[in-house]
């Protein structure tokens, strides 16, 4: 939800001391994070240029361990430049984070289904998650312009690979009686270590639940199961949401 007009942009890194548990018959290691330490911050003034773009509104960051680079999504709504993510290197060998240790090495334009950059104000990119050979990107959409939120998968050169179905519960209508609230939608995005599940969450309660929510209350997490990586022709989407009596789950199969 951070915007380009802000005076400064922060990249903050945490050094995590973790207890590692390796589970039998699982493809990925599980990490129990027991402690985090703040190791510094880097501030890039609004208007900082890179390859013909303005480095602004870095909303989310994800790590590519094989290439040892980070991908950071800009929340520019294709206004300053087409929607994009940056590639950067961060040297943390000293155990501290400083601006001089951060190097921007590339910028990638996100392309729509027509292979073109997203039109101005057609999205509000916020979250990014690296899958191993691609990235998922979340957009909050724009309720006032009747633009739905989305979660899409892109190749590392920006080509659109897949659009995940968003449950009807989260889609706004033209009467303002349902769905996400404006600028309070899919801000976060992350994958589980085994890369089977993608998690996102709205920043606040949906319109239909707003009257029953306290200010600042978080809407329950929609849980997208990325089984399509194991079953190439099928995606299974499950949505977990809170009710008056607890949690319930609804599932659907999308071919």
């Amino acid at each position: 939800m951070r915007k380009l007009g802000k005076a400064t942009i922060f990249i903050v890194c945490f050094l995590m001391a973790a207890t590692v548990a390796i589970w039998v018959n699982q493809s990925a290691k599980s990490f129990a994070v027991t402690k985090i330490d703040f190791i510094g911050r880097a501030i890039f003034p609004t208007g900082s240029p890179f390859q013909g773009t303005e480095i602004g509104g870095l909303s989310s960051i994800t790590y590519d361990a094989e290439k040892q680079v980070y991908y950071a999504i800009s929340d520019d709504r294709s206004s300053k430049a087409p929607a994009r993510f940056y590639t950067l290197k961060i040297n943390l060998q000293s155990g501290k984070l400083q601006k001089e240790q951060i190097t921007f090495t590339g910028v990638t334009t996100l392309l729509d289904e027509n292979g073109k950059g997203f039109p101005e104000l057609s999205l509000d990119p916020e979250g990014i998650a690296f899958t191993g050979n691609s990235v998922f990107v979340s957009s909050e959409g724009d309720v006032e312009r009747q633009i739905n939120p989305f979660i899409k998968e892109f190749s590392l050169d920006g080509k659109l690979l897949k659009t995940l179905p968003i449950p009807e519960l989260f889609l706004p209508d033209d009467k303002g009686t349902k769905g996400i609230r404006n600028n309070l939608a899919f801000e976060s995005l992350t994958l589980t270590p085994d890369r089977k599940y993608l998690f996102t969450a709205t920043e606040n309660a949906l319109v239909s639940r707003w009257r029953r929510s306290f200010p600042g209350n978080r809407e329950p997490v929609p849980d997208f199961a990325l089984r399509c990586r194991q079953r190439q022709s099928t995606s299974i989407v499950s949505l977990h949401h809170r009710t008056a009596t607890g949690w319930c789950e609804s599932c659907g199969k999308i071919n």
Side-chain angles (χ1 to χ4, degrees):
M1 195 172 68
R2 293 168 289 181
K3 301 305 164 198
L4 284 169
K6 289 192 173 181
T8 56
I9 301 159
F10 296 90
I11 295 180
V12 180
C13 281
F14 294 90
L15 183 63
M16 295 186 177
T19 301
V20 179
I22 302 177
W23 300 93
V24 179
N25 295 327
Q26 288 198 359
S27 60
K29 296 179 181 179
S30 297
F31 298 90
V33 178
T34 59
K35 180 183 177 182
I36 59 174
D37 297 315
F38 177 72
I39 63 171
R41 70 178 183 181
I43 302 174
F44 294 86
T46 297
S48 298
F50 181 76
Q51 293 186 4
T53 70
E54 179 179 323
I55 301 174
L58 299 181
S59 182
S60 180
I61 192 168
T62 188
Y63 185 55
D64 182 339
E66 182 177 347
K67 296 181 180 178
Q68 296 186 2
V69 298
Y70 294 82
Y71 305 117
I73 189 76
S74 170
D75 71 357
D76 177 15
R77 301 185 183 194
S78 285
S79 296
K80 302 286 186 179
R84 60 203 177 276
F85 67 86
Y86 293 92
T87 302
L88 51 144
K89 289 182 175 290
I90 303 178
N91 186 344
L92 296 174
Q93 290 183 348
S94 66
K96 299 294 181 182
L97 175 69
Q98 297 176 341
K99 182 178 179 181
E100 294 73 23
Q101 299 169 325
I102 299 174
T103 304
F104 286 82
T105 62
V107 58
T108 303
T109 298
L110 300 177
L111 304 179
D112 63 15
E113 60 274 10
N114 299 314
K116 298 181 180 180
F118 283 84
E120 185 175 5
L121 303 179
S122 66
L123 75 171
D124 184 7
E126 295 290 359
I128 188 169
F130 178 62
T131 71
N133 52 27
S134 63
V135 292
F136 279 99
V137 171
S138 64
S139 168
E140 291 193 294
D142 191 320
V143 173
E144 294 178 355
R145 292 183 172 85
Q146 297 184 14
I147 298 173
N148 286 334
F150 70 65
I151 298 175
K152 296 179 183 290
E153 184 180 11
F154 297 88
S155 65
L156 294 181
D157 60 1
K159 295 178 182 177
L160 178 62
L161 300 177
K162 181 182 300 181
T163 299
L164 296 185
I166 303 299
E168 185 68 25
L169 178 69
F170 295 90
L171 301 181
D173 60 14
D174 56 4
K175 298 179 181 178
T177 60
K178 63 180 286 290
I180 58 166
R181 303 182 73 242
N182 197 44
N183 212 20
L184 292 171
F186 298 151
E187 181 84 14
S188 58
L189 201 62
T190 192
L191 279 162
T192 55
D194 59 12
R195 296 173 180 166
K196 288 184 179 180
Y197 295 90
L198 177 69
F199 286 87
T200 186
T202 57
E203 287 187 273
N204 217 313
L206 301 181
V207 171
S208 59
R209 303 183 185 196
W210 178 247
R211 294 180 180 178
R212 293 177 290 164
S213 303
F214 294 101
N217 203 21
R218 300 296 188 205
E219 183 65 20
V221 177
D223 168 11
F224 293 91
L226 303 184
R227 300 183 189 274
C228 55
R229 298 195 174 279
Q230 295 180 345
R231 306 175 186 176
Q232 296 182 358
S233 62
T234 303
S235 297
I236 298 178
V237 178
S238 65
L239 166 66
H240 298 264
H241 57 95
R242 187 168 48 196
T243 68
T245 57
W247 290 82
C248 65
E249 178 179 350
S250 57
C251 297
K253 183 179 292 186
I254 295 89
N255 293 323

